[in-house]
Amino acid sequence: MNPRIKTEAALSDSEERLRLALEATGLGTWDCDLQAGEISGDDRTREIFGLSINRLPLSRFLLAIHPGDRGKVSFAADSARQVSAPTQHHVELRVLRPDGEIRWVAINGKVQFEGQELYRRPIRCIGTVMDITEWKRADEALRAAHARTETILGSISDGFLAFDREWRFTYANAEAERLLHRSASDLLGRNAWELFPEADAFREQYNKALATGRAAHFEQFYRPFNAWLEIHAYPSADGLSVYFRDISIRKRAEEALQRSERRLRVFFESDMVGTIFWDIEGRIRDANNKFLRTFGYTREDVTEGRLAWSTLTPPEFRTLDEQAIAQLKTTGVDIPYEKEFLCKNGSRVPIIIGAAMLDELEGVAFVLDITERKRAENRLARDLEAMTRLQEVGSLFVRGGDLEPVLGQIVEAAIAISKADFGNIQLILPNSGLRIAAQRGFPQWYVDYWNDLTASCDCSCGSALASGQRVIVPDVEQSPIFAATPGLEKQRQAGVRAVQSTPVLSRSGKVLGMFSTHFKKPHTPDEHALKLLDLLARQAADIIERAQIAEVLKAAKEDLARSNHDLETKVRERTAKLEETIAELEGFSYSLVHDMRAPLRAMVGYTSILQRDAELRLRPDELELLRRIGLAASRMDQLVVDSLNYGKLLRQELPLKSIDIGSLLRGLVETYPNLHPPLAEISIEIDHLLVSGNEAALTQIFSNLLGNAVKFVAAGTKPRVRVWADFDRCPPGLPSESHDCAYVWIEDNGIGIPGYAHKKIFTMFHRLHRAEEYPGTGIGLALVKKSLERTGGKITLQSEPGKGSRFCVQLPLAVQHTTEASLSA
Ligand code: ADP
């Protein structure tokens, strides 16, 4: 073969191989003559572009390109041409086929140049074209799918993570970032166990999933976040995809629920309080032992469904229950209320019940047996009533009054307290029998029958009276006291079946009566009731005793009133008689005095006539006797006059008024010549002093004192008397007065009075000298003292023999004087 042929053969061979290769890859080839501006392509290229002719101008060729991508062609062409070194260019663009179909093609091209350096210019461009429509579509579908996955993963509320087999984070959605407190950029590419060191439990589960190739689902607490996570981990060839969410709230709620269920269970089983679980149909689903014991049911009653709300509840509580159920349905709980439950044996137990719904269908109820409390309440109510009754009876006791109604009230109180039907109180009669003093509930014939009975009577009160002890007959039909007695029939007729009789004892233990309560049914009063009855019996005893004492007292008072009246009459009669006698005596003494003075005055007159007429005939000693007779008669007369005055002073009224003592004294001095100079010197140093006194009495008092002051002086001494007053200084011997008073002093220069006689000289007839020395009767100072006593004054003296005397008269100041004194002050 010649070389050309050989070469041609080789070429065609190589072309064939290229064609086959191109065919196998689906590539078309093209050739663009840049000089001519024409492009030609092989069959495949034409097929791809939908062109029928092999060679066509570039401008036409461009029409086959999608208008949106034409720029890519010119840009590629321009850039290919400007590059000095021949480079390959790649462009992907859309082809607009004549049939309207759009196809994606990938074009590779290379520009060929001609000439050197500056003269270098592109002359040709050759390349391949490949239809990549299918790839493009697949790629787009993939992209869309990827975008969709992204969107889904990004938007799901769960956290989503992906790890590769080296436990590096390859993906984390927004929720995962939030839950792990890390941004995706922090996580991606980093090892999970380095970032989260306390996650061993998770690691274990993930390893297992990877090892087994099976998905793992678990819930795990992660301490650093104090959170519970729910995990779904799916192994894949690349690693592990993990969905997770924070379930802490749910977990905690579950835990709380479990705790509360546990608590409820413990409470239920502890048997502290009767507890039942019930359903909305009213069935009792479960009951604890405490409940079963309290109401006498068995566990089988519960398990076999024999226990229901309706079997437990007496009919009258149904309405109350319905209200509670309505409340339960609206609020989930009811306010605990009191009702009764029926026991298996039919008896009733008072309870407090409180219930709560556990869910829509089931609930729990706590049942408290309040039998004891009820009993205590009843006892308390009874005590309260008893106390009120006792207090009422007590107030009756205080008020007093008629015995019968008071005892009636005590009987009523006893009936109320001991829940009796009848009752009475009997009083002991003087013959030791019993008389019904008050009763309630009995007909008259019954009262008449049992009245006036004695200790020997066949009845409870008779026995109690005989023994002095309380007698209780729980049932008259069974009692030996009433057996075969006519009294039994009477009790039957009156409807009395039981009776108690309590003796009413005084505080000294004397039986005052009997206190009985009667019952229509057989009955034994309990200890408490008996105690209260004793208290009432005590009250009754006090009231009876008091009434009896009051009666005795009344009789005594009446006696006393009668004697008083008699006495008064007697006293009146005697006083009248006495006054009559006194008047008679006064009249008598007056006439006696009067009659006595006449002979005395006659004696004085006759002796003086005899002295005068027989002076020359009689001897001196006879004349002396005559003088003495005359003197004695005058003294006697003076004595009679003074005595008369004293007597008058004692009887006569001495009305008080305000008196100016200064002018009274000056008037006195003027009246009596023996008080005038030269016989005496009297200085009155009181100007104006108002005292409260009786004028006649004061005149008599001061005339006596002044008279004595000038009388009792030594022979040859001229009497000098000073009178003055002061207000502040109370001399010893006088009481210091609380009210205002004046002290009037009378000081003389007389013979003085010895200390021993200071008190005595104020008594009647007491004198220190014989009449021959100093005349007088010894009545003057007694009169002074008595007068002062009767007019609110007092007297004392300071004196000793030879040194004169100083009498001090205390006188109450007149009210006017006080006012004047205080005004002048
Ligand atoms: P009479 O003056 O009539 O003797 P009184 O009763 O007035 O009686 O006085 C009693 C006695 O007190 C007097 O007898 C006298 O001894 C004594 N007496 C009274 N006043 C004074 C006086 N001023 N000085 C001394 N003795 C007096």
Side-chain angles (χ1 to χ4, degrees), residues 743-756:
Y743 302 97
V744 178
W745 292 88
I746 299 126
E747 189 187 69
D748 63 41
N749 60 341
I751 54 175
I753 304 159
Y756 73 87

Side-chain angles (χ1 to χ4, degrees), residues 642 704-705 708-709 711-712 748 750-753 761 763 766-769 774-782 805 807:
D642 283 354
N704 261 310
L705 292 172
N708 282 347
K711 182 166 64 175
F712 293 103
D748 63 41
I751 54 175
I753 304 159
I761 53 171
T763 55
H766 200 94
R767 310 197 72 236
L768 301 176
H769 310 278
Y774 297 99
T777 56
I779 293 176
L781 286 181
S805 304
F807 284 80

Side-chain angles (χ1 to χ4, degrees), residues 155-182:
S155 64
I156 56 171
S157 57
D158 283 358
F160 176 74
L161 292 172
F163 300 106
D164 61 17
R165 291 206 158 247
E166 307 301 318
W167 294 115
R168 283 187 296 258
F169 286 95
T170 55
Y171 185 83
N173 72 350
E175 180 63 4
E177 288 179 293
R178 194 183 69 75
L179 291 175
L180 299 182
H181 310 291
R182 300 263 186 166

Side-chain angles (χ1 to χ4, degrees), residues 612-680:
R612 196 183 61 221
D613 292 352
E615 194 181 6
L616 298 174
R617 278 181 284 136
L618 292 175
R619 290 191 315 268
D621 58 326
E622 287 166 338
L623 279 174
E624 177 58 20
L625 283 175
L626 261 184
R627 191 185 64 83
R628 284 194 185 180
I629 291 169
L631 207 67
S634 331
R635 231 187 115 226
M636 185 67 183
D637 185 44
Q638 187 58 48
L639 200 64
V640 170
V641 170
D642 283 354
S643 301
L644 209 60
N645 281 342
Y646 189 79
K648 242 161 76 187
L649 176 74
L650 291 182
R651 283 194 311 279
Q652 82 187 23
E653 290 282 322
L654 296 175
L656 302 181
K657 62 174 192 171
S658 176
I659 291 162
D660 180 358
I661 212 79
S663 47
L664 183 134
L665 285 166
R666 269 185 286 279
L668 254 180
V669 173
E670 270 175 34
T671 315
Y672 294 99
N674 62 327
L675 303 179
H676 294 183
L679 295 179

